[in-house]
Amino acid sequence: MYLATTDAVAKASEQEQSGARRGRVAGPVLALGAVSLVTDISSEMVTAVLPLYFVLQLGLSPIQFGFLDGLYNGVTALVRLAGGYAADRGGRHKLVAGGGYALSALSRLGLLLAGGATAGIGAALAADRIGKGVRTAPRDALISLSSPPDTLGRAFGVHRAMDTTGALLGPLAAFALLWATADAYDAVFVVSFCFGLLGVLMLVAFVPGHLSPALPRSPHPAPERQQTERQRTQPSAPRPRALHLLRVPAFRRVLVAAALLGAATIGDAFLYLLLQRRLDFAVSWFPLLPLGAAAVYLLLAVPAGRLADRVGRRVPFLAGHVALLGGYVLLLAPTDGWPLLIGVLLLLGVFYAATDGVLMALVAPVVAQERRASGMAVLQTGQALARLVAAAGFGAAWTLWGVETALTCAVLALTAAVAGAAVLLPRSGTSSGGST
């Protein structure tokens, strides 16, 4: 159904644009969602078992794992900027995104050829992260450019829901393959590569190469957008570099707030390791832990996006981090058994549903269309670098002071970060005004 819809929408007809204004999600968004769904099945088949492999099989310490986990999330920093800049030059969003998807697919073959060598596995994972970094900003720019400003929350919510469906199916596929093949990791890598290649082919076939968005623009732009609007209406001025976006006050506030919150956010893998440590369940069930959070994310991504369009994107973004804070507190509390497991996974899913796509919808209206990918790349880079610091810091605190002290520090840091972000994020504007 999605492919038939996207094939029609790829022609960018006037009827489809008017349908998007009535609230229907645009065809390119659905096509990109389908690509992300298939690609996430590929990537999550591999990443679901990495914490278990690194810590329990290779015997890495928490500080070593924290560094690796942060590195694989932070290695995308520079390539995000390069990908965003390349995509904005000539509007080559699809081409740059396709290159990133292709590199991630090829990295699965690297895992297959590594033969269990740690260095080879690390190189393959780095290639996967680079591919993800290259494609993320152009893909999100395509979503924002094909959607009216007042439906950005819903558009990103639909895309993230489809993306999360892949994240839900990936660990299940890995678990089934390992069970059927008696822990043959090569089978996981081969099937993962096939799904990654399918995602590339779907991008080529169903995502339009160029978008000409006739999006409605507010006749009275919000104060936070006035500098961006002035830059957009001066054709004689040279195109600023991506980092020049830091001169835009609204963009700068969103960036600093996201980085502040990212620096207080420990990696999901740590939460799953803490759950396994507290509940002491069989390690064979470990790859299924992300499914709980992914299921909640899948159910709430679209409602959270629609809510953000109605009440402003600042509120759910902050509320999502409060939910994550609740997950940290729950891990410190004397809760045990199923209540602990369900509670942490539920709160983690709420966190992602209320923040991931909502952040992109929040920043998109304050960045000019011709620099949309670059702006999103700068924001994503700041967040990735901050999470690198958070992962390494939590791993070090766990190793040096113990898990309870490390979690207490995480709770205090995130509490302070939420308070700081509440001050930094713009309070004015409506869902149609864009910067809420």
Side-chain angles (χ1 to χ4, degrees):
M1 179 182 70
Y2 285 128
L3 299 184
T5 303
T6 57
D7 189 45
V9 175
K11 301 176 181 177
S13 66
E14 188 64 31
Q15 287 182 338
E16 289 153 346
Q17 290 185 0
S18 64
R21 295 190 184 98
R22 290 194 301 269
R24 190 179 65 188
V25 175
V29 176
L30 296 178
L32 288 165
V35 172
S36 294
L37 187 157
V38 173
T39 303
D40 245 35
I41 292 176
S42 172
S43 61
E44 292 302 323
M45 287 180 67
V46 175
T47 58
V49 298
L50 286 183
L52 190 64
Y53 176 74
F54 281 137
V55 174
L56 298 183
Q57 184 165 337
L58 296 183
L60 299 185
S61 68
I63 190 172
Q64 290 174 311
F65 176 73
F67 178 77
L68 284 176
D69 183 63
L71 177 64
Y72 292 137
N73 286 283
V75 73
T76 61
L78 294 179
V79 296
R80 285 179 192 267
L81 296 176
Y85 179 74
D88 283 336
R89 293 197 61 174
R92 297 178 294 182
H93 300 86
K94 177 180 176 179
L95 178 63
V96 175
Y101 280 111
L103 180 59
S104 291
L106 291 174
S107 72
R108 311 294 185 253
L109 293 181
L111 288 171
L112 186 64
L113 298 174
T118 305
I121 292 175
L125 292 175
D128 175 55
R129 295 298 90 185
I130 291 172
K132 181 177 177 61
V134 167
R135 72 179 183 253
T136 300
R139 180 203 66 198
D140 285 348
L142 282 171
I143 294 172
S144 69
L145 291 173
S146 60
S147 305
D150 59 350
T151 64
L152 281 173
R154 181 179 180 185
F156 278 102
V158 169
H159 174 269
R160 296 312 197 254
M162 298 178 70
D163 181 88
T164 306
T165 301
L168 191 67
L169 295 176
L172 284 175
F175 183 80
L177 277 172
L178 290 176
W179 177 80
T181 60
D183 295 340
Y185 284 88
D186 286 355
V188 175
F189 300 152
V190 170
V191 175
S192 174
F193 167 72
C194 292
F195 273 105
L197 181 60
L198 177 60
V200 175
L201 296 176
M202 291 173 63
L203 178 76
V204 172
F206 299 110
V207 176
H210 294 86
L211 293 174
S212 301
L215 303 181
R217 190 177 295 174
S218 174
H220 304 290
E224 294 84 357
R225 297 183 60 190
Q226 289 176 354
Q227 182 172 345
T228 302
E229 292 292 338
R230 286 196 298 269
Q231 293 172 349
R232 182 185 298 147
T233 55
Q234 294 177 356
S236 60
R239 177 178 295 178
R241 296 179 182 272
L243 292 180
H244 288 195
L245 289 164
L246 297 178
R247 298 176 182 175
V248 181
F251 178 82
R252 187 169 61 244
R253 289 202 299 271
V254 175
L255 173 63
V256 173
L260 182 64
L261 290 166
T265 304
I266 65 176
D268 297 353
F270 274 121
L271 296 182
Y272 300 144
L273 286 171
L274 290 171
L275 282 174
Q276 198 278 333
R277 181 177 180 271
R278 282 279 302 271
L279 301 178
D280 195 27
F281 50 78
V283 295
S284 60
W285 294 99
F286 188 89
L288 298 181
L289 283 179
L291 299 183
V296 177
Y297 187 4
L298 174 62
L299 292 174
L300 297 182
V302 176
R306 295 179 66 180
L307 179 66
D309 288 336
R310 288 165 49 190
V311 305
R313 289 141 196 169
R314 175 180 178 271
V315 174
F317 183 69
L318 292 173
H321 285 88
V322 172
L324 182 64
L325 179 62
Y328 295 174
V329 172
L330 198 57
L331 283 167
L332 276 174
T335 312
D336 211 344
W338 284 105
L340 175 64
L341 178 65
I342 295 174
V344 171
L345 296 181
L346 175 65
L347 291 170
L348 184 61
V350 170
F351 161 68
Y352 278 114
T355 60
D356 188 14
V358 171
L359 177 60
M360 295 298 102
L362 191 155
V363 77
V366 302
V367 181
Q369 291 179 3
E370 63 271 16
R371 295 191 301 277
R372 187 66 53 80
S374 299
M376 289 182 170
V378 171
L379 178 63
Q380 292 161 358
T381 297
Q383 192 176 52
L385 291 176
R387 288 181 174 177
L388 167 61
V389 173
F394 183 80
W398 184 352
T399 301
L400 297 174
W401 304 325
V403 64
E404 290 188 1
T405 302
L407 264 177
T408 301
C409 291
V411 167
L412 295 176
L414 187 54
T415 301
V418 170
V423 175
L424 287 167
L425 290 174
R427 294 174 179 272
S428 61
T430 62
S431 59
S432 60
S435 63
T436 55

